[in-house]
Amino acid sequence: MSELKPNFFWDEVVEKVQNNHESKQPFFSMAPMEAVTDTVFRRVVAKAAAPDVYYTEFTNASSMVHPKAKFSVQGRLAVAEGEQQPVAQIWGSRPKEIAGSIEVLADMGYQAVDINMGCPDGTVIKNSSGSDLIRHPDLAEEIIVAAQSGSLPVSVKTRLGFYKPEEFREWLPIILRHQVAVLTVHLRSRKEMSKAPAHYEHIDEILAMRDEIAPNTLIQINGDIKTRAQGIALVQEHPGIDGIMIGRGIFENPYAFEKEPCQHTLEESIALLNLQLDLFDEVSETVTTKHFEALKRYFKIYLRGFAHASALRQMLMDTHTTTEVREILTRELAKVYAAVADDKHIYRDSAAASADMALSVNKQK
């Protein structure tokens, strides 16, 4: 069993969330997502509705410590001046490189590190990393021990199992025995990917396991939680949960972390898109060249649930630069706002748009 170390970063997170609340409050975090949670998108989400904790994209520890490859991951680890410091998520299968990467992170100003033991990607698995570590618990333990030899608090994000969800009964205790700061559990197996519903039925057993083995470890739950309200409801049902992580939900609603949900306008949504364009250009010019094609995945977040949204998105999908995007927005938005004037320019997230569509269909019957 690993020695319990001071955990100032996560203690501060919990204390800040709990401030002025008599009842226990969970912290909310935005999940680390490949080619998504960089400094650009983190700042956009902060503008829309900020979570309590951010994570970087997952970063290869081998690249971080390799003299030539380290420059290739600079963009993944970039943190803008004034931006809330995220938790660095790393992956790898060589304990010495894991330990070395944490020294690099500490020098960069990071205050906490998370080890990815749940990524289902085939390439990552071929490198004996991510969710493949579920099948190699001895190596997983070596990695955790190596990480804990550094100066940063270590957390782990994983899945219930590799083949079956029930594997968590053997797998999670292995991690918990090392007294990690936070254990984030995506409530699916690797085999299930994201195709099966999250297994909420196992939450209480996981919490009891934590209470018995590592009572100071924080448990964070991930899977099918799309809004703060849904997260709060889950915690009320399972009071031992310490944190809620939202991932794909942010693509359906940029205001997912909003404490007091309210109706937003299309103008607000467009302002977020323009902010992303500006930050995209800023990072490309000052940090590392960003690939424009990757930007297109975000258009559906901001342009949905209103008249002509699909047509406008299609126009933007045919662009090749941020300048072209801005030109189309300048040309087309006046028409769009005129078309939705009777609707008071309301922006609808996925759930609201689906509800409106169902209501419209019922009226036509």
Side-chain angles (χ1 to χ4, degrees), residues 85-86 104-112 152:
Q85 188 70 35
V104 172
L105 292 169
D107 289 341
M108 293 178 68
Y110 279 92
Q111 301 167 30
L152 301 182

Side-chain angles (χ1 to χ4, degrees), residues 73-126:
V73 297
Q74 285 182 339
R76 292 173 175 271
L77 298 173
V79 180
E81 183 177 354
E83 180 186 353
Q84 181 177 321
Q85 188 70 35
V87 176
Q89 195 191 60
I90 61 174
W91 65 279
S93 60
R94 298 182 176 90
K96 287 185 179 180
E97 292 179 346
I98 293 289
S101 69
I102 292 175
E103 292 182 16
V104 172
L105 292 169
D107 289 341
M108 293 178 68
Y110 279 92
Q111 301 167 30
V113 63
D114 185 77
I115 303 174
N116 185 310
M117 294 190 176
C119 178
D121 181 75
T123 301
V124 173
I125 289 174
K126 288 179 181 178

Side-chain angles (χ1 to χ4, degrees), residues 86-291:
V87 176
Q89 195 191 60
I90 61 174
W91 65 279
S93 60
R94 298 182 176 90
K96 287 185 179 180
E97 292 179 346
I98 293 289
S101 69
I102 292 175
E103 292 182 16
V104 172
L105 292 169
D107 289 341
M108 293 178 68
Y110 279 92
Q111 301 167 30
V113 63
D114 185 77
I115 303 174
N116 185 310
M117 294 190 176
C119 178
D121 181 75
T123 301
V124 173
I125 289 174
K126 288 179 181 178
N127 282 278
S128 303
S129 303
S131 59
D132 191 56
L133 290 168
I134 299 172
R135 300 190 294 185
H136 300 92
D138 291 345
L139 177 56
E141 289 192 86
E142 289 180 36
I143 287 173
I144 295 173
V145 170
Q148 290 178 327
S149 68
S151 59
L152 301 182
V154 176
S155 58
V156 171
K157 184 175 187 291
T158 189
R159 289 174 174 255
L160 292 172
F162 192 90
Y163 300 107
K164 300 178 181 179
E166 293 76 17
E167 293 171 29
F168 81 89
R169 296 188 177 96
E170 289 73 40
W171 166 235
L172 297 187
I174 292 171
I175 301 174
L176 289 169
R177 282 196 289 270
H178 289 279
Q179 308 291 325
V180 294
V182 182
L183 174 58
T184 302
V185 185
H186 181 154
L187 294 171
R188 295 182 177 92
S189 68
R190 188 270 171 179
K191 184 176 180 180
E192 289 174 315
M193 302 292 281
S194 293
K195 299 175 183 177
H199 294 280
Y200 295 140
E201 69 271 17
H202 296 315
I203 290 177
D204 288 336
E205 190 172 350
I206 292 171
L207 294 173
M209 189 182 292
R210 181 275 308 275
D211 292 345
E212 178 182 354
I213 301 171
N216 291 302
T217 292
L218 303 173
I219 295 293
Q220 183 170 216
I221 296 299
N222 175 226
D224 288 347
I225 307 164
K226 297 184 178 181
T227 64
R228 178 180 287 269
Q230 290 178 3
I232 292 293
L234 189 64
V235 172
Q236 290 174 343
E237 190 173 345
H238 307 277
I241 295 173
D242 300 290
I244 295 291
M245 178 177 279
I246 296 177
R248 291 177 300 158
I250 202 70
F251 277 91
E252 299 184 21
N253 177 12
Y255 309 99
F257 293 103
E258 205 164 38
K259 292 182 179 179
E260 296 181 7
C262 62
Q263 184 63 66
H264 293 276
T265 65
L266 180 55
E267 287 93 334
E268 289 177 87
S269 177
I270 297 299
L272 291 178
L273 172 55
N274 280 319
L275 174 60
Q276 181 144 2
L277 295 174
D278 292 344
L279 295 177
F280 180 92
D281 288 342
E282 172 197 298
V283 172
S284 291
E285 293 169 6
T286 62
V287 181
T288 186
T289 301
K290 303 287 290 181
H291 298 292

Side-chain angles (χ1 to χ4, degrees), residues 287-301:
V287 181
T288 186
T289 301
K290 303 287 290 181
H291 298 292
F292 179 80
E293 290 301 313
L295 184 61
K296 294 182 178 180
R297 74 177 64 186
Y298 297 93
F299 295 157
K300 65 181 179 181
I301 300 178

